[in-house]
Amino acid sequence: MTRKIIIDTDPGQDDAVAILLALASPELEVLGITTVAGNVPLALTTRNAQLTVGLSGREVPIVAGRDRPLNRPLVTAEYVHGQTGLDGIDLGVPQVPLNPGDGVDFIIDTLRREPEGTVTLVPIGPLTNIAAAFERAPDIVARVQQVVLMGGGYFEGGNVTPAAEFNIYVDPEAAALVLASGVDLVMMPLDVTHKALTSADWLAGLRALGTRAGEAVASWTDFFERYDREKYGSAGAPLHDPCTIAYLIRPELFSGRRINVEIETEGRYTTGMTVADWWGVSGRAPNALFIRDIDRDGFFDLLTERIATLD
Ligand code: RIB
Ligand code: CA
């Protein structure tokens, strides 16, 4: 039984790897890719989604969503992802079309069309599109099978401020709305994605595939890694977003705990923080499966196995 998903994304090299993993995995049916402003402005995240789908050789609707957070100015991350947002390899110009229409409408219409409880949302950028859809069409919340998102951090702290992870920091109001919606939610925070570090051997294995997809993933990762190596002194790049897709394919590679997670939206130093009640001291009801651990080797074996099926 394939699982229907919508990927909401701000490519970004790690987003692109997540998209390739999803499109290369028969367990998943990607109903669409909606783009959001985040790592780079919307025009570029959308172009990067088109380039990534073109590289996959698959056909899937791509629909552009919001170009800024619900009610804050956009913060981008060219310092991590490069000016194009997909630096590392030149993929030319998009060869696949962009669907007309609006990404938020696409999310609403798809959830209303598909049988209730059969569509999983996989947001791997700021949560603006998801929150906008829930706000405009509250009826769709009960129709969502699950939300599996990359975002947040607690024991690991933040990556854009000491307290906040980028996806949550860019649009904390959107994140707060999604966390409060009551939807069945799995959170992949920095606590687990910082354990999903690439290695030189893994990159060499990708290059040895001799495929465009293998070369692209290795080149993106090489580019993406330089920032984390300078910042954390870590060898290897954290493959944040692919953790969400790997969870959908092989959940047994991950472990965590259902806890309460609240989003700070007004803190002078802590805006965008995911306040994760891991020890259950708040008395607040659990609203997320907060993932902390990963079978790293199993994760990278899965990635290589699936990327190897692409040209
Ligand atoms: O903090 C990591 C997240 O921010 C990832 O989704 C990365 O692509 C960026 O969007
Ligand atoms: Ca992302």
Side-chain angles (χ1 to χ4, degrees):
M1 177 76 169
T2 57
R3 187 156 179 181
K4 295 175 185 174
I5 69 172
I6 295 173
I7 300 174
D8 189 71
T9 179
D10 65 335
Q13 290 87 352
D14 61 319
D15 302 67
V17 178
I19 291 167
L20 291 183
L21 176 60
L23 294 176
S25 296
E27 300 88 341
L28 304 176
E29 180 185 357
V30 183
L31 298 178
I33 293 174
T34 50
T35 58
V36 66
N39 284 319
V40 287
L42 180 67
L44 282 173
T45 59
T46 303
R47 180 181 182 277
N48 294 339
Q50 289 174 275
L51 288 170
T52 304
V53 170
L55 181 66
S56 75
R58 302 289 198 276
E59 290 190 11
V60 62
I62 304 170
V63 195
R66 293 294 175 86
D67 66 358
R68 73 198 64 195
L70 294 180
N71 50 33
R72 287 177 186 261
L74 176 63
V75 171
T76 53
E78 287 86 351
Y79 57 93
V80 177
H81 299 276
Q83 283 308 309
T84 71
L86 206 55
D87 286 21
I89 186 170
D90 181 359
L91 293 176
V93 295
Q95 301 298 317
V96 300
L98 179 62
N99 280 45
D102 169 73
V104 174
D105 289 336
F106 179 87
I107 293 168
I108 295 169
D109 297 344
T110 303
L111 280 163
R112 284 177 172 164
R113 182 189 70 238
E114 297 293 331
E116 183 170 331
T118 65
V119 177
T120 292
L121 302 178
V122 186
I124 51 178
L127 288 158
T128 312
N129 287 342
I130 309 301
F134 285 9
E135 222 171 20
R136 188 188 304 168
D139 61 289
I140 66 170
V141 175
R143 302 184 64 81
V144 174
Q145 180 177 26
Q146 194 170 53
V147 171
V148 182
L149 69 86
M150 191 278 143
Y154 184 65
F155 300 96
E156 191 69 8
N159 61 1
V160 64
T161 74
E165 178 278 325
F166 181 79
N167 288 340
I168 309 299
Y169 180 75
V170 170
D171 200 341
E173 285 75 19
L177 191 151
V178 173
L179 266 291
S181 70
V183 75
D184 178 354
L185 190 142
V186 179
M187 180 176 276
M188 288 285 168
L190 298 177
D191 304 83
V192 64
T193 67
H194 275 180
K195 296 173 184 173
L197 290 177
T198 59
S199 68
D201 287 350
W202 182 70
L203 293 179
L206 284 179
R207 289 200 157 94
L209 295 173
T211 63
R212 274 171 24 103
E215 181 56 36
V217 172
S219 303
W220 288 333
T221 304
D222 272 341
F223 181 89
F224 185 58
E225 175 183 359
R226 89 213 180 289
Y227 172 76
D228 283 84
R229 191 190 301 120
E230 286 161 19
K231 178 174 179 179
Y232 296 105
S234 59
L239 284 188
H240 306 286
D241 295 336
C243 288
T244 59
I245 304 299
Y247 176 83
L248 290 169
I249 300 165
R250 295 215 179 113
E252 67 277 11
L253 294 175
F254 299 87
S255 65
R257 183 184 292 179
R258 260 194 74 72
I259 62 171
N260 175 269
V261 179
E262 302 293 342
I263 310 296
E264 179 56 65
T265 59
E266 298 169 356
R268 180 175 177 188
Y269 301 109
T270 56
T271 288
M273 180 176 180
T274 47
V275 182
D277 186 5
W278 185 262
W279 306 113
V281 298
S282 72
R284 293 189 291 264
N287 57 355
L289 175 60
F290 189 89
I291 302 294
R292 278 188 78 182
D293 286 306
I294 184 172
D295 169 349
R296 185 186 171 283
D297 292 342
F299 171 71
F300 282 99
D301 289 348
L302 173 66
L303 257 180
T304 301
E305 172 198 309
R306 297 302 163 90
I307 298 298
T309 66
L310 300 171
D311 295 336

